[in-house]
Amino acid sequence: MAAADAGGEYLSLERPPWAPPQWLFGPAWTVLYVMIALSGWLAWSARGLTPALGVYAVQLVLNTAWTPLFFGAGRYGLAFAEIVVLWLAIVLNIVLFRRISRPAAWLLVPYLLWVTYAASLNFAIWQLN
C-alpha cells in the first residue's frame, strides 16, 4: 500500500537534476531482484542455511522497510538513516557470501551500487523537501 502511488509521489517531489526518470525504477528493480534472488540461491545451494543467509534475510527486510518510510510516511530523513543501515547490511552480505560463493557475492554488487545511488537521491530529496 505504501507504494501504491509511489510513481506519482516521486514526480511531485523536488528532485535534483541528476534524479532518474520515474519509469526507470521498475525495470531496474526487476533486474536487481532477479540478481538478489539468484545470489541467495547460490549461497544456499553451496552451504545451506548459514549466518550469511541470516544477513541476507535482514537486508531483504530493510529493503522492504524503506518504501513505507519514504513514500508511505514521507519520513525522508528516517528513510535515509534506514537506507544507510541497508547499505551496511548489503556490504556485510557481500563479505559473507564471498566466503561461500564468489558469484553470489558479485551478483549483489549492482544492488549495492544502486542502493548507493538511491541513498544519495534519498538524501538530496530530503534536503530539497
Side-chain angles (χ1 to χ4, degrees), residues 16-77:
W18 46 268
Q22 179 267 338
W23 62 264
L24 182 63
F25 291 97
W29 277 111
T30 299
V31 170
L32 291 170
Y33 283 134
V34 168
M35 294 173 78
I36 293 164
L38 183 55
S39 173
W41 179 80
L42 286 172
W44 175 78
S45 64
R47 296 258 178 93
L49 290 176
T50 64
L53 284 173
V55 173
Y56 177 80
V58 166
Q59 65 82 15
L60 288 176
V61 169
L62 289 167
N63 182 308
T64 303
W66 183 86
T67 300
L69 285 174
F70 189 89
F71 289 109
R75 301 289 308 269
Y76 309 131

Short mmCIF file of all heavy atoms in Angstrom, two decimals, residues 16-77:
data_model
loop_
_atom_site.label_atom_id
_atom_site.label_comp_id
_atom_site.label_asym_id
_atom_site.label_seq_id
_atom_site.Cartn_x
_atom_site.Cartn_y
_atom_site.Cartn_z
N PRO A 16 16.71 16.43 -7.42
CA PRO A 16 17.93 17.01 -8.01
C PRO A 16 17.94 16.78 -9.52
O PRO A 16 17.26 15.87 -10.02
CB PRO A 16 19.06 16.25 -7.31
CG PRO A 16 18.46 14.95 -6.92
CD PRO A 16 17.01 15.24 -6.60
N PRO A 17 18.72 17.56 -10.25
CA PRO A 17 18.75 17.40 -11.71
C PRO A 17 19.24 16.02 -12.17
O PRO A 17 18.90 15.59 -13.26
CB PRO A 17 19.72 18.49 -12.18
CG PRO A 17 20.04 19.33 -11.01
CD PRO A 17 19.53 18.65 -9.78
N TRP A 18 19.98 15.34 -11.34
CA TRP A 18 20.52 14.03 -11.71
C TRP A 18 19.59 12.87 -11.31
O TRP A 18 19.96 11.71 -11.46
CB TRP A 18 21.91 13.84 -11.09
CG TRP A 18 22.00 14.22 -9.65
CD1 TRP A 18 22.35 15.44 -9.15
CD2 TRP A 18 21.73 13.40 -8.51
NE1 TRP A 18 22.31 15.42 -7.78
CE2 TRP A 18 21.94 14.17 -7.36
CE3 TRP A 18 21.33 12.07 -8.36
CZ2 TRP A 18 21.76 13.68 -6.07
CZ3 TRP A 18 21.16 11.56 -7.07
CH2 TRP A 18 21.38 12.37 -5.95
N ALA A 19 18.38 13.19 -10.86
CA ALA A 19 17.41 12.14 -10.50
C ALA A 19 16.97 11.40 -11.76
O ALA A 19 16.77 12.01 -12.80
CB ALA A 19 16.21 12.76 -9.80
N PRO A 20 16.81 10.09 -11.66
CA PRO A 20 16.38 9.32 -12.84
C PRO A 20 14.91 9.55 -13.13
O PRO A 20 14.15 9.95 -12.24
CB PRO A 20 16.64 7.87 -12.42
CG PRO A 20 16.49 7.87 -10.94
CD PRO A 20 17.00 9.22 -10.49
N PRO A 21 14.48 9.26 -14.35
CA PRO A 21 13.05 9.34 -14.65
C PRO A 21 12.30 8.25 -13.86
O PRO A 21 12.86 7.19 -13.56
CB PRO A 21 12.98 9.09 -16.15
CG PRO A 21 14.25 8.40 -16.50
CD PRO A 21 15.27 8.84 -15.50
N GLN A 22 11.08 8.53 -13.56
CA GLN A 22 10.26 7.63 -12.74
C GLN A 22 10.15 6.24 -13.36
O GLN A 22 10.17 5.24 -12.66
CB GLN A 22 8.88 8.28 -12.54
CG GLN A 22 7.90 7.48 -11.73
CD GLN A 22 7.01 6.61 -12.58
OE1 GLN A 22 6.81 6.86 -13.77
NE2 GLN A 22 6.49 5.56 -11.99
N TRP A 23 10.07 6.13 -14.68
CA TRP A 23 9.87 4.84 -15.34
C TRP A 23 11.07 3.89 -15.16
O TRP A 23 10.93 2.69 -15.34
CB TRP A 23 9.59 5.03 -16.84
CG TRP A 23 10.71 5.68 -17.59
CD1 TRP A 23 10.82 7.00 -17.90
CD2 TRP A 23 11.89 5.04 -18.10
NE1 TRP A 23 12.00 7.23 -18.57
CE2 TRP A 23 12.68 6.03 -18.71
CE3 TRP A 23 12.37 3.73 -18.11
CZ2 TRP A 23 13.90 5.77 -19.31
CZ3 TRP A 23 13.58 3.47 -18.71
CH2 TRP A 23 14.33 4.48 -19.31
N LEU A 24 12.23 4.41 -14.81
CA LEU A 24 13.44 3.58 -14.70
C LEU A 24 13.42 2.66 -13.48
O LEU A 24 14.05 1.59 -13.50
CB LEU A 24 14.68 4.48 -14.65
CG LEU A 24 16.03 3.78 -14.59
CD1 LEU A 24 16.28 2.95 -15.85
CD2 LEU A 24 17.14 4.81 -14.41
N PHE A 25 12.71 3.03 -12.44
CA PHE A 25 12.76 2.26 -11.20
C PHE A 25 12.22 0.83 -11.36
O PHE A 25 12.82 -0.11 -10.85
CB PHE A 25 12.02 2.99 -10.08
CG PHE A 25 12.73 4.22 -9.63
CD1 PHE A 25 12.39 5.47 -10.12
CD2 PHE A 25 13.78 4.14 -8.73
CE1 PHE A 25 13.04 6.62 -9.73
CE2 PHE A 25 14.46 5.28 -8.32
CZ PHE A 25 14.09 6.52 -8.82
N GLY A 26 11.11 0.66 -12.05
CA GLY A 26 10.54 -0.68 -12.24
C GLY A 26 11.50 -1.64 -12.92
O GLY A 26 11.80 -2.72 -12.37
N PRO A 27 12.02 -1.30 -14.10
CA PRO A 27 12.97 -2.21 -14.75
C PRO A 27 14.24 -2.43 -13.94
O PRO A 27 14.75 -3.55 -13.87
CB PRO A 27 13.29 -1.52 -16.09
CG PRO A 27 12.16 -0.58 -16.33
CD PRO A 27 11.64 -0.19 -14.98
N ALA A 28 14.76 -1.37 -13.32
CA ALA A 28 15.99 -1.51 -12.54
C ALA A 28 15.78 -2.48 -11.38
O ALA A 28 16.58 -3.40 -11.18
CB ALA A 28 16.46 -0.14 -12.02
N TRP A 29 14.70 -2.30 -10.64
CA TRP A 29 14.46 -3.19 -9.50
C TRP A 29 14.12 -4.60 -9.94
O TRP A 29 14.47 -5.57 -9.25
CB TRP A 29 13.39 -2.62 -8.57
CG TRP A 29 13.98 -1.62 -7.63
CD1 TRP A 29 13.79 -0.27 -7.61
CD2 TRP A 29 14.90 -1.90 -6.57
NE1 TRP A 29 14.53 0.29 -6.62
CE2 TRP A 29 15.23 -0.68 -5.95
CE3 TRP A 29 15.50 -3.06 -6.07
CZ2 TRP A 29 16.11 -0.59 -4.88
CZ3 TRP A 29 16.38 -2.96 -5.00
CH2 TRP A 29 16.67 -1.74 -4.41
N THR A 30 13.48 -4.76 -11.07
CA THR A 30 13.20 -6.11 -11.57
C THR A 30 14.50 -6.87 -11.80
O THR A 30 14.66 -8.01 -11.34
CB THR A 30 12.37 -6.05 -12.86
OG1 THR A 30 11.13 -5.40 -12.57
CG2 THR A 30 12.11 -7.44 -13.41
N VAL A 31 15.44 -6.25 -12.49
CA VAL A 31 16.74 -6.89 -12.75
C VAL A 31 17.47 -7.14 -11.43
O VAL A 31 18.02 -8.23 -11.20
CB VAL A 31 17.59 -6.02 -13.70
CG1 VAL A 31 19.02 -6.54 -13.79
CG2 VAL A 31 16.94 -5.97 -15.08
N LEU A 32 17.46 -6.15 -10.55
CA LEU A 32 18.16 -6.31 -9.27
C LEU A 32 17.56 -7.42 -8.43
O LEU A 32 18.30 -8.22 -7.83
CB LEU A 32 18.17 -4.99 -8.49
CG LEU A 32 19.03 -3.88 -9.09
CD1 LEU A 32 18.77 -2.56 -8.38
CD2 LEU A 32 20.51 -4.25 -9.02
N TYR A 33 16.24 -7.52 -8.37
CA TYR A 33 15.62 -8.57 -7.56
C TYR A 33 15.92 -9.96 -8.11
O TYR A 33 16.10 -10.92 -7.35
CB TYR A 33 14.11 -8.37 -7.42
CG TYR A 33 13.74 -7.29 -6.42
CD1 TYR A 33 12.78 -6.33 -6.72
CD2 TYR A 33 14.34 -7.25 -5.17
CE1 TYR A 33 12.44 -5.35 -5.81
CE2 TYR A 33 14.00 -6.27 -4.24
CZ TYR A 33 13.05 -5.33 -4.58
OH TYR A 33 12.72 -4.36 -3.67
N VAL A 34 16.00 -10.09 -9.42
CA VAL A 34 16.41 -11.38 -10.01
C VAL A 34 17.83 -11.72 -9.57
O VAL A 34 18.12 -12.86 -9.17
CB VAL A 34 16.27 -11.36 -11.55
CG1 VAL A 34 16.95 -12.56 -12.18
CG2 VAL A 34 14.80 -11.30 -11.95
N MET A 35 18.73 -10.74 -9.62
CA MET A 35 20.12 -10.96 -9.21
C MET A 35 20.22 -11.27 -7.72
O MET A 35 20.99 -12.14 -7.31
CB MET A 35 20.97 -9.74 -9.58
CG MET A 35 21.09 -9.53 -11.08
SD MET A 35 21.93 -8.01 -11.51
CE MET A 35 23.63 -8.51 -11.21
N ILE A 36 19.44 -10.56 -6.90
CA ILE A 36 19.43 -10.80 -5.46
C ILE A 36 18.95 -12.23 -5.17
O ILE A 36 19.54 -12.95 -4.36
CB ILE A 36 18.56 -9.76 -4.73
CG1 ILE A 36 19.18 -8.36 -4.83
CG2 ILE A 36 18.33 -10.15 -3.28
CD1 ILE A 36 18.21 -7.23 -4.49
N ALA A 37 17.88 -12.64 -5.83
CA ALA A 37 17.34 -13.99 -5.63
C ALA A 37 18.34 -15.05 -6.06
O ALA A 37 18.56 -16.04 -5.35
CB ALA A 37 16.03 -14.15 -6.38
N LEU A 38 18.96 -14.85 -7.22
CA LEU A 38 19.96 -15.80 -7.70
C LEU A 38 21.15 -15.88 -6.75
O LEU A 38 21.65 -16.96 -6.45
CB LEU A 38 20.42 -15.41 -9.10
CG LEU A 38 21.42 -16.34 -9.79
CD1 LEU A 38 20.91 -17.77 -9.84
CD2 LEU A 38 21.72 -15.82 -11.18
N SER A 39 21.55 -14.74 -6.22
CA SER A 39 22.64 -14.70 -5.25
C SER A 39 22.30 -15.53 -4.01
O SER A 39 23.11 -16.35 -3.55
CB SER A 39 22.91 -13.24 -4.85
OG SER A 39 23.85 -13.17 -3.81
N GLY A 40 21.13 -15.31 -3.47
CA GLY A 40 20.70 -16.08 -2.29
C GLY A 40 20.62 -17.56 -2.58
O GLY A 40 21.03 -18.39 -1.76
N TRP A 41 20.11 -17.92 -3.76
CA TRP A 41 20.01 -19.32 -4.13
C TRP A 41 21.40 -19.96 -4.25
O TRP A 41 21.61 -21.08 -3.77
CB TRP A 41 19.24 -19.47 -5.43
CG TRP A 41 19.13 -20.90 -5.86
CD1 TRP A 41 18.26 -21.83 -5.38
CD2 TRP A 41 19.97 -21.56 -6.81
NE1 TRP A 41 18.49 -23.04 -6.00
CE2 TRP A 41 19.54 -22.90 -6.88
CE3 TRP A 41 21.03 -21.16 -7.61
CZ2 TRP A 41 20.13 -23.83 -7.71
CZ3 TRP A 41 21.61 -22.08 -8.45
CH2 TRP A 41 21.16 -23.40 -8.49
N LEU A 42 22.35 -19.23 -4.85
CA LEU A 42 23.71 -19.76 -4.98
C LEU A 42 24.34 -19.99 -3.61
O LEU A 42 24.98 -21.02 -3.38
CB LEU A 42 24.59 -18.81 -5.80
CG LEU A 42 24.34 -18.78 -7.30
CD1 LEU A 42 25.14 -17.66 -7.94
CD2 LEU A 42 24.67 -20.13 -7.93
N ALA A 43 24.17 -19.05 -2.71
CA ALA A 43 24.73 -19.20 -1.36
C ALA A 43 24.07 -20.34 -0.61
O ALA A 43 24.75 -21.14 0.05
CB ALA A 43 24.60 -17.88 -0.58
N TRP A 44 22.75 -20.44 -0.72
CA TRP A 44 22.04 -21.51 -0.05
C TRP A 44 22.41 -22.87 -0.62
O TRP A 44 22.64 -23.83 0.11
CB TRP A 44 20.53 -21.28 -0.15
CG TRP A 44 19.75 -22.42 0.41
CD1 TRP A 44 19.51 -22.68 1.72
CD2 TRP A 44 19.12 -23.46 -0.33
NE1 TRP A 44 18.76 -23.83 1.85
CE2 TRP A 44 18.51 -24.33 0.60
CE3 TRP A 44 19.02 -23.75 -1.69
CZ2 TRP A 44 17.81 -25.46 0.20
CZ3 TRP A 44 18.32 -24.87 -2.08
CH2 TRP A 44 17.72 -25.71 -1.13
N SER A 45 22.49 -22.97 -1.96
CA SER A 45 22.79 -24.27 -2.56
C SER A 45 24.24 -24.69 -2.30
O SER A 45 24.54 -25.89 -2.29
CB SER A 45 22.50 -24.25 -4.06
OG SER A 45 23.34 -23.35 -4.73
N ALA A 46 25.12 -23.74 -2.04
CA ALA A 46 26.52 -24.07 -1.75
C ALA A 46 26.70 -24.59 -0.33
O ALA A 46 27.50 -25.49 -0.10
CB ALA A 46 27.42 -22.85 -1.98
N ARG A 47 25.97 -24.03 0.64
CA ARG A 47 26.20 -24.38 2.05
C ARG A 47 24.96 -24.60 2.88
O ARG A 47 25.06 -24.90 4.06
CB ARG A 47 27.01 -23.26 2.74
CG ARG A 47 28.38 -23.05 2.21
CD ARG A 47 29.44 -23.67 3.11
NE ARG A 47 30.74 -23.48 2.55
CZ ARG A 47 31.54 -22.45 2.84
NH1 ARG A 47 31.18 -21.55 3.71
NH2 ARG A 47 32.71 -22.37 2.25
N GLY A 48 23.79 -24.37 2.34
CA GLY A 48 22.58 -24.48 3.14
C GLY A 48 22.40 -23.25 4.01
O GLY A 48 22.95 -22.19 3.73
N LEU A 49 21.64 -23.43 5.08
CA LEU A 49 21.39 -22.30 5.97
C LEU A 49 22.66 -21.96 6.74
O LEU A 49 23.23 -22.81 7.43
CB LEU A 49 20.26 -22.62 6.94
CG LEU A 49 18.87 -22.69 6.32
CD1 LEU A 49 17.84 -23.11 7.36
CD2 LEU A 49 18.48 -21.36 5.69
N THR A 50 23.07 -20.71 6.64
CA THR A 50 24.27 -20.21 7.32
C THR A 50 23.95 -18.84 7.90
O THR A 50 22.94 -18.23 7.53
CB THR A 50 25.44 -20.06 6.33
OG1 THR A 50 25.08 -19.07 5.37
CG2 THR A 50 25.77 -21.37 5.64
N PRO A 51 24.80 -18.32 8.77
CA PRO A 51 24.61 -16.94 9.24
C PRO A 51 24.58 -15.93 8.09
O PRO A 51 23.90 -14.90 8.18
CB PRO A 51 25.82 -16.71 10.16
CG PRO A 51 26.16 -18.08 10.67
CD PRO A 51 25.89 -18.99 9.50
N ALA A 52 25.28 -16.21 7.00
CA ALA A 52 25.25 -15.31 5.85
C ALA A 52 23.84 -15.17 5.29
O ALA A 52 23.44 -14.09 4.86
CB ALA A 52 26.20 -15.82 4.77
N LEU A 53 23.07 -16.25 5.32
CA LEU A 53 21.68 -16.17 4.86
C LEU A 53 20.81 -15.41 5.85
O LEU A 53 19.80 -14.81 5.46
CB LEU A 53 21.12 -17.55 4.57
CG LEU A 53 21.63 -18.16 3.26
CD1 LEU A 53 21.18 -19.60 3.12
CD2 LEU A 53 21.20 -17.34 2.07
N GLY A 54 21.21 -15.38 7.11
CA GLY A 54 20.52 -14.54 8.09
C GLY A 54 20.72 -13.06 7.75
O GLY A 54 19.77 -12.28 7.78
N VAL A 55 21.94 -12.69 7.39
CA VAL A 55 22.22 -11.32 6.97
C VAL A 55 21.46 -11.02 5.68
O VAL A 55 20.92 -9.93 5.51
CB VAL A 55 23.74 -11.08 6.81
CG1 VAL A 55 24.03 -9.71 6.21
CG2 VAL A 55 24.44 -11.25 8.16
N TYR A 56 21.41 -11.97 4.79
CA TYR A 56 20.66 -11.84 3.54
C TYR A 56 19.19 -11.51 3.85
O TYR A 56 18.61 -10.60 3.26
CB TYR A 56 20.79 -13.15 2.76
CG TYR A 56 20.02 -13.23 1.47
CD1 TYR A 56 20.51 -12.64 0.31
CD2 TYR A 56 18.83 -13.94 1.40
CE1 TYR A 56 19.82 -12.74 -0.90
CE2 TYR A 56 18.13 -14.05 0.20
CZ TYR A 56 18.63 -13.45 -0.93
OH TYR A 56 17.94 -13.56 -2.12
N ALA A 57 18.60 -12.25 4.79
CA ALA A 57 17.21 -12.01 5.17
C ALA A 57 17.04 -10.62 5.79
O ALA A 57 16.06 -9.92 5.49
CB ALA A 57 16.73 -13.09 6.14
N VAL A 58 17.99 -10.21 6.61
CA VAL A 58 17.92 -8.89 7.25
C VAL A 58 17.94 -7.78 6.19
O VAL A 58 17.15 -6.84 6.24
CB VAL A 58 19.05 -8.69 8.27
CG1 VAL A 58 19.21 -7.24 8.69
CG2 VAL A 58 18.82 -9.58 9.49
N GLN A 59 18.84 -7.90 5.20
CA GLN A 59 18.90 -6.85 4.19
C GLN A 59 17.63 -6.83 3.34
O GLN A 59 17.19 -5.77 2.89
CB GLN A 59 20.18 -6.90 3.35
CG GLN A 59 20.39 -8.11 2.48
CD GLN A 59 19.67 -8.07 1.16
OE1 GLN A 59 19.20 -7.04 0.73
NE2 GLN A 59 19.57 -9.22 0.53
N LEU A 60 17.00 -7.99 3.14
CA LEU A 60 15.72 -8.01 2.42
C LEU A 60 14.62 -7.29 3.21
O LEU A 60 13.82 -6.54 2.64
CB LEU A 60 15.29 -9.44 2.11
CG LEU A 60 16.08 -10.17 1.03
CD1 LEU A 60 15.59 -11.62 0.91
CD2 LEU A 60 15.99 -9.46 -0.31
N VAL A 61 14.61 -7.50 4.51
CA VAL A 61 13.62 -6.82 5.37
C VAL A 61 13.89 -5.31 5.35
O VAL A 61 12.95 -4.50 5.23
CB VAL A 61 13.66 -7.37 6.81
CG1 VAL A 61 12.85 -6.50 7.77
CG2 VAL A 61 13.16 -8.81 6.83
N LEU A 62 15.16 -4.92 5.45
CA LEU A 62 15.50 -3.49 5.39
C LEU A 62 15.10 -2.89 4.04
O LEU A 62 14.59 -1.76 3.98
CB LEU A 62 16.99 -3.29 5.65
CG LEU A 62 17.44 -3.54 7.09
CD1 LEU A 62 18.96 -3.63 7.16
CD2 LEU A 62 16.91 -2.46 8.01
N ASN A 63 15.32 -3.63 2.98
CA ASN A 63 14.94 -3.17 1.65
C ASN A 63 13.42 -2.92 1.60
O ASN A 63 12.96 -1.90 1.11
CB ASN A 63 15.36 -4.21 0.61
CG ASN A 63 15.04 -3.81 -0.81
OD1 ASN A 63 13.91 -3.44 -1.12
ND2 ASN A 63 16.03 -3.90 -1.67
N THR A 64 12.68 -3.87 2.14
CA THR A 64 11.22 -3.77 2.14
C THR A 64 10.73 -2.61 3.00
O THR A 64 9.74 -1.95 2.68
CB THR A 64 10.60 -5.10 2.64
OG1 THR A 64 11.07 -6.16 1.80
CG2 THR A 64 9.10 -5.06 2.65
N ALA A 65 11.42 -2.32 4.09
CA ALA A 65 11.01 -1.27 5.03
C ALA A 65 11.21 0.14 4.48
O ALA A 65 10.54 1.07 4.92
CB ALA A 65 11.76 -1.42 6.35
N TRP A 66 12.10 0.30 3.52
CA TRP A 66 12.40 1.64 3.04
C TRP A 66 11.19 2.30 2.36
O TRP A 66 10.89 3.47 2.61
CB TRP A 66 13.59 1.61 2.06
CG TRP A 66 13.95 2.98 1.60
CD1 TRP A 66 14.79 3.85 2.23
CD2 TRP A 66 13.46 3.65 0.45
NE1 TRP A 66 14.85 5.03 1.53
CE2 TRP A 66 14.04 4.93 0.43
CE3 TRP A 66 12.58 3.30 -0.57
CZ2 TRP A 66 13.77 5.85 -0.57
CZ3 TRP A 66 12.31 4.22 -1.57
CH2 TRP A 66 12.90 5.48 -1.56
N THR A 67 10.50 1.57 1.52
CA THR A 67 9.38 2.15 0.75
C THR A 67 8.30 2.75 1.63
O THR A 67 7.89 3.90 1.41
CB THR A 67 8.80 1.12 -0.23
OG1 THR A 67 9.85 0.72 -1.13
CG2 THR A 67 7.63 1.68 -1.03
N PRO A 68 7.80 2.04 2.66
CA PRO A 68 6.78 2.67 3.50
C PRO A 68 7.32 3.88 4.28
O PRO A 68 6.57 4.82 4.53
CB PRO A 68 6.33 1.57 4.45
CG PRO A 68 7.07 0.35 4.11
CD PRO A 68 7.99 0.63 2.98
N LEU A 69 8.59 3.86 4.64
CA LEU A 69 9.15 5.03 5.34
C LEU A 69 9.20 6.24 4.41
O LEU A 69 8.83 7.34 4.80
CB LEU A 69 10.56 4.73 5.84
CG LEU A 69 10.69 3.83 7.05
CD1 LEU A 69 12.15 3.51 7.32
CD2 LEU A 69 10.07 4.50 8.26
N PHE A 70 9.69 6.02 3.21
CA PHE A 70 9.88 7.14 2.28
C PHE A 70 8.55 7.58 1.67
O PHE A 70 8.19 8.75 1.77
CB PHE A 70 10.87 6.74 1.17
CG PHE A 70 11.29 7.89 0.31
CD1 PHE A 70 12.39 8.65 0.66
CD2 PHE A 70 10.59 8.21 -0.84
CE1 PHE A 70 12.78 9.73 -0.13
CE2 PHE A 70 10.98 9.28 -1.63
CZ PHE A 70 12.07 10.04 -1.28
N PHE A 71 7.84 6.67 1.04
CA PHE A 71 6.62 7.04 0.33
C PHE A 71 5.39 7.03 1.21
O PHE A 71 4.56 7.93 1.12
CB PHE A 71 6.40 6.13 -0.88
CG PHE A 71 7.38 6.37 -1.99
CD1 PHE A 71 8.36 5.45 -2.28
CD2 PHE A 71 7.34 7.54 -2.72
CE1 PHE A 71 9.27 5.67 -3.30
CE2 PHE A 71 8.24 7.78 -3.74
CZ PHE A 71 9.21 6.84 -4.03
N GLY A 72 5.24 6.01 2.04
CA GLY A 72 4.04 5.91 2.87
C GLY A 72 3.99 6.96 3.96
O GLY A 72 2.98 7.64 4.15
N ALA A 73 5.10 7.14 4.68
CA ALA A 73 5.14 8.06 5.81
C ALA A 73 5.73 9.42 5.45
O ALA A 73 5.60 10.37 6.22
CB ALA A 73 5.93 7.44 6.97
N GLY A 74 6.40 9.51 4.30
CA GLY A 74 7.04 10.77 3.94
C GLY A 74 8.16 11.17 4.89
O GLY A 74 8.49 12.34 5.02
N ARG A 75 8.76 10.18 5.54
CA ARG A 75 9.83 10.43 6.52
C ARG A 75 11.17 10.28 5.82
O ARG A 75 11.87 9.28 5.96
CB ARG A 75 9.72 9.44 7.69
CG ARG A 75 8.40 9.48 8.46
CD ARG A 75 8.23 10.73 9.30
NE ARG A 75 9.36 10.97 10.17
CZ ARG A 75 9.47 10.54 11.42
NH1 ARG A 75 8.50 9.84 11.95
NH2 ARG A 75 10.55 10.81 12.12
N TYR A 76 11.55 11.30 5.04
CA TYR A 76 12.73 11.22 4.19
C TYR A 76 14.02 11.09 4.99
O TYR A 76 14.92 10.37 4.58
CB TYR A 76 12.79 12.43 3.25
CG TYR A 76 11.50 12.65 2.49
CD1 TYR A 76 10.91 13.90 2.44
CD2 TYR A 76 10.86 11.59 1.84
CE1 TYR A 76 9.72 14.10 1.75
CE2 TYR A 76 9.67 11.79 1.16
CZ TYR A 76 9.11 13.05 1.12
OH TYR A 76 7.93 13.24 0.44
N GLY A 77 14.11 11.78 6.11
CA GLY A 77 15.30 11.66 6.96
C GLY A 77 15.43 10.29 7.58
O GLY A 77 16.51 9.69 7.60
#
